[in-house]
Amino acid sequence: MTTGKSVPAIGFLTVTEHAEHGLFGGYLILNVSGRPLEFHCTAPLKPSRAQEILYGPTLRPFLFGEQIGQTLLAKAKVKPLLVCTDATAMLAAREFSDVPLLLVQTDGMELKTANLSEPFALGCRKVFTSASYDEDQRNVLDKWSTAHADSLDLLEPFTRIREALEEAQKTVRPTTVPTAA
Amino acid sequence: MFDWQPTNLLSASTWDVRDHCVALEANNLSEILSSQAFPSVESPDLWVLSPKAVALKIPRTAPKVTSFTFPEAPAWVQAQPPIPGAKPQAVKTMSPDAIGEESSKKPTITRIKPPGDVIKLEDRLYYVLQPPLETLIKSDALHFPFEPFPYQYQGVAFLYPRYAAVLADEMGLGKTMQSITAIRMLLRSGELRSVLLICPKPLVTNWKREFTQWAPEIPLSIIEGDASRRHWLWQQDGVPVKIANYELLMRDKEEVLGEGMHFDLVMLDEAQRIKNINNTTSEIVRAIPRTRNWALTGTPIENSPDDIVGIFEFLSPGYMRTGMPAKRLGELARDYILRRTKEMVLTDMPPKMFRDAELDLSPEQRATYEIAENEGVINLNELGDSITIQHVFELVLRLKQICNFDPATGTSSKLERLEADLEEVAASGRKAIVFSQWVHSIEIIAKKLERLGVLQYHGKIPSKQRDPILKQFKEDKSKHVILMSYGAGSVGLNLQFCEYVFLFDRWWNPAIEDQAINRAHRIGVAGPVTVTRMLALSTIEERINQVLEHKRELFNSIMNQTGAHADLRLTQQQIFGLFNLRTPKGPIKQAA
């Protein structure tokens, strides 16, 4: 779990999907100037057939939020002011953290089925919180105003995470973690 | 009709039609049933039909996580302190509906990529995860006097992660700014603490000026003065950047190689100075204790592919060997060299227009020239096999001087043409640079063209007077012409306010000529630059020009890594061929 180190930082949490290996999770923590402080990535995760059947439409929130998101958030040493994600299913990770979790809108993002708050602007991006956590929006805006992070583009770090995950895949031969018997 | 009363089938353990399943309450049917003997019914045990709960265990194995922690650099980690007296900036709020339009403008992004020789995953990720350069600059961490070009960001991103690098951009593209910015960022991130910049002596003040412009917060120390002062300067701690010149390295060898001396980065400007691995300067530079090595040069290959081997002996000793095929050298160098030309990156930069002024010698010059050449060739032939390249060079220089001026009468078709052109330049209020190989020629031109507002900049001008001369040339509207020697004026100077360049005579090496021309044709130039190359027809100059053009083509073939093997030195045959001389047997005693 986090140590609550008092460095103004912002977390970026996402998942990349690999056709053969499955899901790779990445969590990048940046200071407000955009410099990396921590990076955590998971071994690939592949749902079993049983999980696919039994979880049905809740499978992605389970894998993204509970399995990957929760695990990654718990590994960080620095406690960020807020965490951003570009994957709707990752909002399920909010349940396992006391840090506000934001969904940053990307081009072509499917929002209809998601349980989201009204959108609001943060820097140059449109963001949402989970509708189940009403207070997150106010908390985020308060923290943002003190963070002096306006120069940070909240979508850009996800590109870095994806490149880092690719780099890690090139270097380390991945071992898929079995998730079901 | 039957009246159905459903009952709970599953709760039954035995089967009896009267008790279970359905209650039949039809009068007639009841009578019939009661009047007849009831058949015996077998009651099977239905326990086997009841469902069994099977618990499927789905283990929630958390995926394995690999973690990387990066060093915190206090200057970056902490939010920038507010400027005293400045109004606090309000957070810019924007309507979410307006965001779509805003974010659709895709900004240019320049990312730092890990070089091929960084192997460790943690080190590679450190670079992959760095923010785009544009983000760092926007975050108020760095201020620039003006917005750099995208290719300059790429140059910074190239240098930043490299421990061995050659920035070989063509003159005028801003190697100085790119390297200063990379140093600045590395100092800020804590990756560098001590930098030694070595440059030619005339460029020290230029570097000082550029650091003041691009990184005003970095303290500098210029190594100069008498021995005791230099000793103090070398030993000075707390000054992150020291600037020394090649010339004093010989004198300060003991200092720079002394015990405890170590630099996180040694950067060489005009790195072609160390292309000869056997020269003393090169040996001293290579011996300086250091961690990173950067070389700046617009001409990584001046004469031969082996020039690049000399530079790599500084960057990464033993990585290349002399005599390697050009193709192999190109492959080895690929990840370490970044070279861009103006044509590649500045598509909207005003053009550089060449105008060859091919002139006939004056009758007096021609007569003198013919005699000198004929006698010279006869003398060379008489030398037989004892002839050396030095003998040939002496004749070449003698003939080139006659092409400039007739020694007896002082007549010069070049000067006549130059005078006419420069009158036009001065009349239009513009400025020109005239290059010559000889100070003597410059002095004659200066005397003749005094009325046009002529300044001189060459080896005879003391160092302390040189910067004021450049300042005067830039600011004094009555000064239209500066006469420069190739040696003093071809590198490191920013004279982009000049629109005309005249090459009164030609240098041996096209790269040196390019450097000279690019004093004017560089970033910031307002309009096209016209380059006039003066050439005396039917003379040694015309023959040399043909060789120079050939060399230029070969240079391009190597730098483009086409794999063509090219030895760019003037060959024995080429040098002797200038006078149709027979090639002697035995070794050439002096290289071109």
Side-chain angles (χ1 to χ4, degrees):
Chain A
M1 202 55 203
T2 61
T3 60
K5 216 167 161 185
S6 61
V7 177
I10 297 174
F12 295 86
L13 186 62
T14 194
V15 165
T16 62
E17 301 190 54
H18 191 281
E20 189 186 343
H21 299 297
L23 305 174
F24 290 86
Y27 182 38
L28 175 63
I29 301 179
L30 304 178
N31 69 21
V32 290
S33 296
R35 302 271 288 196
L37 299 175
E38 289 181 35
F39 178 66
H40 308 272
C41 58
T42 67
L45 186 72
K46 211 169 185 178
S48 66
R49 183 69 189 134
Q51 283 177 316
E52 285 173 355
I53 295 166
L54 291 169
Y55 280 89
T58 66
L59 179 66
R60 284 174 76 81
F62 165 69
L63 293 173
F64 280 51
E66 193 172 333
Q67 292 284 85
I68 294 174
Q70 181 183 203
T71 310
L72 287 172
L73 289 172
K75 285 286 178 183
K77 293 189 182 79
V78 171
K79 182 177 181 178
L81 301 173
L82 53 104
V83 177
C84 298
T85 183
D86 61 349
T88 315
M90 189 59 90
L91 281 177
R94 176 65 179 90
E95 201 183 320
F96 310 101
S97 164
D98 58 352
V99 177
L101 181 58
L102 297 179
L103 176 68
V104 187
Q105 188 174 10
T106 59
D107 291 340
M109 180 180 266
E110 181 55 62
L111 298 168
K112 283 178 188 168
T113 55
N115 179 29
L116 300 174
S117 68
E118 285 299 308
F120 60 103
L122 213 57
C124 62
R125 296 292 170 189
K126 191 190 279 188
V127 296
F128 304 83
T129 56
S130 167
S132 312
Y133 293 86
D134 292 339
E135 71 285 8
D136 274 5
Q137 180 171 341
R138 187 173 44 79
N139 288 341
V140 163
L141 287 170
D142 286 348
K143 288 176 176 176
W144 187 258
S145 65
T146 57
H148 304 291
D150 265 353
S151 60
L152 211 56
D153 175 355
L154 295 180
L155 269 187
E156 181 278 323
F158 296 111
T159 312
R160 292 192 236 172
I161 298 176
R162 278 185 272 278
E163 283 182 25
L165 289 174
E166 269 178 38
E167 192 71 43
Q169 285 170 41
K170 272 190 280 181
T171 317
V172 181
R173 192 179 177 84
T175 313
T176 306
V177 172
T179 57
Chain B
M1 290 297 289
F2 292 107
D3 182 15
W4 292 92
Q5 296 288 327
T7 55
N8 188 355
L9 287 171
L10 293 178
S11 64
S13 59
T14 56
W15 181 260
D16 188 321
V17 173
R18 289 170 299 185
D19 298 329
H20 303 290
C21 187
V22 285
L24 303 172
E25 290 186 345
N27 292 334
N28 295 337
L29 185 61
S30 302
E31 287 169 11
I32 294 164
L33 286 174
S34 58
S35 62
Q36 292 186 0
F38 201 81
S40 65
V41 175
E42 209 170 311
S43 301
D45 185 358
L46 284 182
W47 275 115
V48 292
L49 296 176
S50 66
K52 282 186 178 175
V54 177
L56 288 175
K57 285 187 180 174
I58 302 174
R60 298 192 172 191
T61 315
K64 190 184 165 195
V65 175
T66 310
S67 297
F68 303 90
T69 310
F70 302 106
E72 287 179 30
W76 295 107
V77 169
Q78 303 300 330
Q80 294 299 302
I83 300 163
K87 286 183 183 173
Q89 276 194 332
V91 177
K92 186 181 161 192
T93 52
M94 193 184 289
S95 150
D97 296 334
I99 295 271
E101 295 166 22
E102 188 78 9
S103 58
S104 64
K105 297 172 202 162
K106 301 244 168 167
T108 310
I109 284 190
T110 312
R111 302 282 312 281
I112 296 165
K113 291 184 176 163
D117 59 1
V118 173
I119 305 296
K120 211 173 149 192
L121 177 61
E122 185 168 0
D123 296 340
R124 294 187 70 79
L125 289 183
Y126 174 72
Y127 294 120
V128 168
L129 292 170
Q130 291 300 317
L133 297 187
E134 291 83 355
T135 303
L136 288 177
I137 288 153
K138 253 174 73 182
S139 70
D140 283 347
L142 297 167
H143 294 281
F144 286 143
F146 47 85
E147 178 70 17
F149 289 94
Y151 77 85
Q152 291 178 319
Y153 280 120
Q154 287 159 13
V156 175
F158 167 80
L159 286 174
Y160 187 97
R162 279 174 170 74
Y163 281 70
V166 185
L167 185 58
D169 285 346
E170 189 184 8
M171 293 294 111
L173 291 182
K175 290 190 290 292
T176 307
M177 170 269 163
Q178 294 173 64
S179 56
I180 288 174
T181 304
I183 288 172
R184 190 186 193 194
M185 290 178 61
L186 287 166
L187 283 169
R188 291 280 198 100
S189 69
E191 289 182 69
L192 291 184
R193 283 182 174 76
S194 58
V195 177
L196 175 62
L197 162 65
I198 305 171
C199 65
K201 192 177 177 188
L203 299 186
V204 170
T205 51
N206 191 59
W207 271 101
K208 190 180 170 187
R209 195 168 49 241
E210 294 284 330
F211 262 101
T212 308
Q213 185 176 19
W214 290 99
E217 79 281 11
I218 298 178
L220 299 175
S221 176
I222 313 291
I223 310 292
E224 59 187 358
D226 59 25
S228 61
R229 177 171 166 76
R230 294 202 308 276
H231 172 74
W232 177 74
L233 289 168
W234 279 117
Q235 298 301 324
Q236 211 177 12
D237 284 333
V239 180
V241 177
K242 291 184 171 74
I243 302 179
N245 65 69
Y246 288 104
E247 291 76 4
L248 70 72
L249 279 187
M250 305 268 275
R251 281 178 283 155
D252 287 359
K253 183 179 172 183
E254 301 302 321
E255 296 280 359
V256 75
L257 303 184
E259 200 176 329
M261 190 65 76
H262 179 273
F263 296 95
D264 295 333
L265 166 68
V266 172
M267 182 167 79
L268 306 182
D269 185 25
E270 304 298 343
Q272 65 274 17
R273 284 280 190 112
I274 60 152
K275 67 184 180 186
N276 181 354
I277 55 174
N278 296 317
N279 89 22
T280 314
T281 306
S282 175
E283 286 170 1
I284 296 170
V285 164
R286 294 203 310 270
I288 300 172
R290 63 200 186 274
T291 307
R292 286 181 190 241
N293 320 284
W294 293 352
L296 310 181
T297 173
T299 52
I301 300 166
E302 276 190 329
N303 289 308
S304 156
D306 288 344
D307 294 347
I308 199 81
V309 179
I311 294 173
F312 268 83
E313 272 304 291
F314 162 71
L315 297 174
S316 181
Y319 184 63
M320 290 180 179
R321 290 190 311 277
T322 53
M324 274 183 165
K327 185 179 178 184
R328 180 69 184 137
L329 291 176
E331 286 167 0
L332 288 172
R334 190 171 296 142
D335 196 44
Y336 296 91
I337 294 187
L338 181 64
R339 177 174 172 81
R340 283 83 55 93
T341 61
K342 286 178 190 151
E343 288 73 21
M344 288 161 69
V345 295
L346 294 177
T347 48
D348 55 349
M349 191 165 168
K352 180 166 58 180
M353 295 180 293
F354 287 93
R355 188 174 59 152
D356 286 335
E358 296 176 340
L359 306 165
D360 286 317
L361 294 176
S362 70
E364 295 85 351
Q365 280 177 292
R366 175 58 67 189
T368 310
Y369 183 92
E370 296 295 341
I371 293 167
E373 180 165 27
N374 292 337
E375 286 181 356
V377 172
I378 290 167
N379 290 339
L380 290 175
N381 275 321
E382 284 175 352
L383 289 169
D385 281 352
S386 66
I387 189 173
T388 67
I389 285 183
Q390 191 60 39
H391 293 121
V392 184
F393 277 159
E394 281 169 14
L395 178 58
V396 169
L397 293 178
R398 168 89 183 122
L399 295 176
K400 283 184 73 177
Q401 284 171 332
I402 296 170
C403 290
N404 281 2
F405 299 98
D406 176 43
T409 63
T411 61
S412 167
S413 54
K414 285 187 185 177
L415 185 55
E416 281 177 21
R417 168 66 182 270
L418 181 69
E419 188 174 6
D421 284 357
L422 289 180
E423 276 176 353
E424 201 178 317
V425 169
S428 61
R430 300 184 193 277
K431 293 183 189 265
I433 315 169
V434 178
F435 281 99
S436 174
Q437 184 176 356
W438 290 286
V439 173
H440 179 64
S441 292
I442 288 173
E443 287 171 339
I444 295 173
I445 298 168
K447 200 171 177 185
K448 177 82 174 169
L449 304 181
E450 205 173 349
R451 68 184 189 286
L452 298 176
V454 170
L455 294 166
Q456 296 182 55
Y457 188 97
H458 47 69
K460 275 192 184 175
I461 307 289
S463 297
K464 286 185 179 175
Q465 290 178 22
R466 291 187 184 182
D467 278 349
I469 288 172
L470 294 177
K471 192 166 185 282
Q472 187 187 9
F473 181 50
K474 184 176 182 181
E475 294 171 0
D476 188 340
K477 289 184 178 174
S478 70
K479 302 298 180 191
H480 294 286
V481 182
I482 190 161
L483 305 172
M484 290 186 152
S485 65
Y486 284 103
S490 66
V491 291
L493 303 176
N494 299 324
L495 302 173
Q496 56 270 65
F497 51 88
C498 296
E499 290 172 51
Y500 294 90
V501 175
F502 292 85
L503 306 183
F504 195 72
D505 43 57
R506 309 295 300 279
W507 193 258
W508 284 102
N509 191 326
I512 302 294
E513 286 192 346
D514 287 344
Q515 286 186 336
I517 293 163
N518 287 329
R519 296 307 97 220
H521 190 253
R522 59 199 299 117
I523 292 165
V525 64
V529 174
T530 306
V531 182
T532 306
R533 297 183 290 203
M534 298 190 144
L535 192 76
L537 289 169
S538 305
T539 67
I540 187 73
E541 287 193 335
E542 196 174 16
R543 276 171 267 163
I544 290 173
N545 186 48
Q546 288 166 358
V547 179
L548 289 179
E549 286 304 313
H550 180 60
K551 286 179 74 174
R552 194 184 297 272
E553 285 168 19
L554 287 174
F555 175 88
N556 290 337
S557 76
I558 294 239
M559 290 314 292
N560 293 338
Q561 296 180 5
T562 58
H565 177 81
D567 185 347
L568 301 187
R569 285 172 294 195
L570 283 174
T571 63
Q572 189 168 318
Q573 286 81 1
Q574 283 171 331
I575 295 164
F576 283 83
L578 292 171
F579 299 104
N580 292 322
L581 289 169
R582 181 179 62 85
T583 309
K585 292 172 185 173
I588 298 288
K589 291 182 182 170
Q590 184 180 327

